[in-house]
Amino acid sequence: MTDAGQLARRYELDWLRVLAFALLIFYHTGMLYVERWGFHYKSQYLSSTLEYLMLASSPWRMLLIWLISGYAFGSVLRRLNHWRQYSKLALTRTVVLLLPLMVGLWLIVPPQLYAEMVQKDGLTLSYWQFYQAFFDLSHPLFNDYRRGVWPHVDVNHLWYLRSLWKFTLVLLLLAPLLYWSPVQQRLSRFFALPLCWQLLGCCLFLFISRYWLEGDAKRDVQGFGYFLLGALLVGQPPFWQKLAEARSWLGWGCFGNYLLLCGLYYFYTQPALLPSALQPLLQICLLGSFVLQAALVVWWLLALAERYLNKPHRYLNVANRTVFPIYLVHQSAIIIAALYLTPFQLGGALEAALVLLFTLVASVVFVGVFWYLPWCAALVGLKTTHVFSQWQQRLGYALGLIIVTPLALTLLL
């Protein structure tokens, strides 16, 4: 394995991570207002035009997050040389990822289900009455909402944490093979190929997975593919050099294909404009444009960030620390705000602005509370600067493992 000390920190990936998660707040707010895309709660002010703006980020936003997550984990893996280190990393990552997920399942996500049931089923219970029933896994109130980790206890937007934990375990098992010298030599030759061939490989992978798979399987296969790709990019300087050289044509490719994607989507949503015999061809072209945009934009953003964001900043560490807890709470804040603003009929623009404002304030307050509670910071994934003694750390991880073991077993079985 490559000496970790020889790998310069890629600050641009830290910046992209912060920006990508920040984009989720705007994206999930937009989901309240797009007309044809499903969401847990919908505003009364729906727009089909907004869907074209959402298409600017929909193909690539999660793939970028997965690639950055894979690179970060790959950087850690390259420091490991013994099975005990792998085991310790598996245990610590289990606590770090599943403890906030457990908090999310039982405390943060339920308001989303409450809002959904108020809108779809006309639920008239107060939230407190609803929440009391929520802990009864066989309660008849939730007969139409049995899907979840446990009956009606679902991950919603926190599916990323569930998948990230599983991907982490798989990559730990694969690590000895991936870092075997013959495999590394072949990977180096692959990343030395012209960038267009690498893009073609990514497009084929995305196209096949989106065409043949459905639901969670499609999302997880694509996510793991880019998570693995991110891990493999650690210590591959030829790739980053080629990316820098291709920055211009990648950008023009993204712009041109976005226009094509919007045009194809327009005809897809207006089936009467085309003969029925052309509909299957249209769907194939739309899928092809979608996956091409996904591959192009991820590469282009990496190239732009390498050029303009590859530098530290005094606020970057703070921003990186707050990303996790804000991600944890943001979608519930969005939906809570929308639920309680709906009766006022404020109009779409004002309502959306207030939803964003409430989400920002709620996120800052949420982080601020746990910022000064270092003993509780791990519950929401906030990295604290408080220095714990060795026995305190061991006790914390032991208690965390006890708490998350039922969830871990449920997710694995």
Side-chain angles (χ1 to χ4, degrees), residues 10 27 46 58 79 106-107 133 187 277 290 292 323 365-366:
R10 306 203 69 93
Y27 187 86
L46 299 178
S58 180
R79 306 189 192 113
W106 293 103
L107 296 177
L187 287 171
F290 189 92
L292 177 60
V323 159
V365 171
F366 185 77

Side-chain angles (χ1 to χ4, degrees), residues 15-215:
W15 283 112
L16 280 179
R17 178 176 179 267
V18 172
L19 294 173
F21 275 102
L23 178 63
L24 284 181
I25 295 177
F26 294 93
Y27 187 86
H28 287 146
T29 300
M31 288 297 293
L32 293 171
Y33 301 98
V34 288
E35 185 174 0
R36 287 179 284 256
W37 300 2
F39 198 49
H40 303 288
Y41 188 82
K42 302 296 284 188
S43 171
Q44 59 191 307
Y45 307 107
L46 299 178
S47 168
S48 58
T49 304
L50 183 60
E51 294 168 10
Y52 296 92
L53 180 60
M54 301 282 280
L55 279 175
S57 65
S58 180
W60 55 265
R61 72 188 198 286
M62 285 308 303
L63 295 180
L64 178 64
I65 290 174
W66 280 124
L67 187 140
I68 295 170
S69 300
Y71 189 95
F73 191 64
S75 300
V76 174
L77 278 182
R78 294 179 77 94
R79 306 189 192 113
L80 307 183
N81 295 297
H82 195 275
W83 69 267
R84 290 180 180 175
Q85 294 175 316
Y86 284 93
S87 300
K88 181 179 179 181
L89 181 59
L91 292 175
T92 55
R93 293 283 286 184
T94 294
V95 175
V96 167
L97 294 175
L98 294 191
L99 192 58
L101 179 56
M102 181 74 86
V103 172
L105 286 173
W106 293 103
L107 296 177
I108 296 175
V109 170
Q112 298 180 33
L113 178 59
Y114 176 74
E116 184 174 355
M117 294 178 69
V118 166
Q119 185 172 69
K120 293 181 179 179
D121 304 330
L123 183 69
T124 57
L125 298 178
S126 68
Y127 183 72
W128 176 243
Q129 293 171 319
F130 161 87
Y131 196 55
Q132 287 178 303
F134 184 80
F135 283 89
D136 182 355
L137 298 183
S138 60
H139 199 289
L141 181 66
F142 305 103
N143 283 342
D144 296 331
Y145 299 87
R146 308 305 293 172
R147 184 178 182 273
V149 176
W150 294 290
H152 71 255
V153 184
D154 206 358
V155 291
N156 287 23
H157 69 294
L158 301 183
W159 65 267
Y160 167 75
L161 294 182
R162 175 187 62 189
S163 297
L164 180 58
W165 176 67
K166 292 181 178 180
F167 296 170
T168 296
L169 298 184
V170 173
L171 201 55
L172 279 169
L173 293 174
L174 293 177
L177 174 63
L178 295 177
Y179 296 119
W180 186 36
S181 294
V183 173
Q184 284 291 297
Q185 292 169 6
R186 286 171 173 78
L187 287 171
S188 296
R189 286 198 289 270
F190 172 77
F191 288 118
L193 291 173
L195 197 65
C196 58
W197 289 108
Q198 299 180 43
L199 275 171
L200 178 60
C202 289
C203 288
L204 286 174
F205 164 72
L206 293 173
F207 186 92
I208 292 171
S209 60
R210 293 192 70 88
Y211 186 82
W212 290 107
L213 301 176
E214 296 292 339

Side-chain angles (χ1 to χ4, degrees), residues 60 79 88 136 147 284 291 293 335 341 345 363:
W60 55 265
R79 306 189 192 113
K88 181 179 179 181
D136 182 355
R147 184 178 182 273
I284 293 295
V291 301
Q293 191 71 358
I335 290 175
L341 286 173
Q345 300 183 345
S363 298

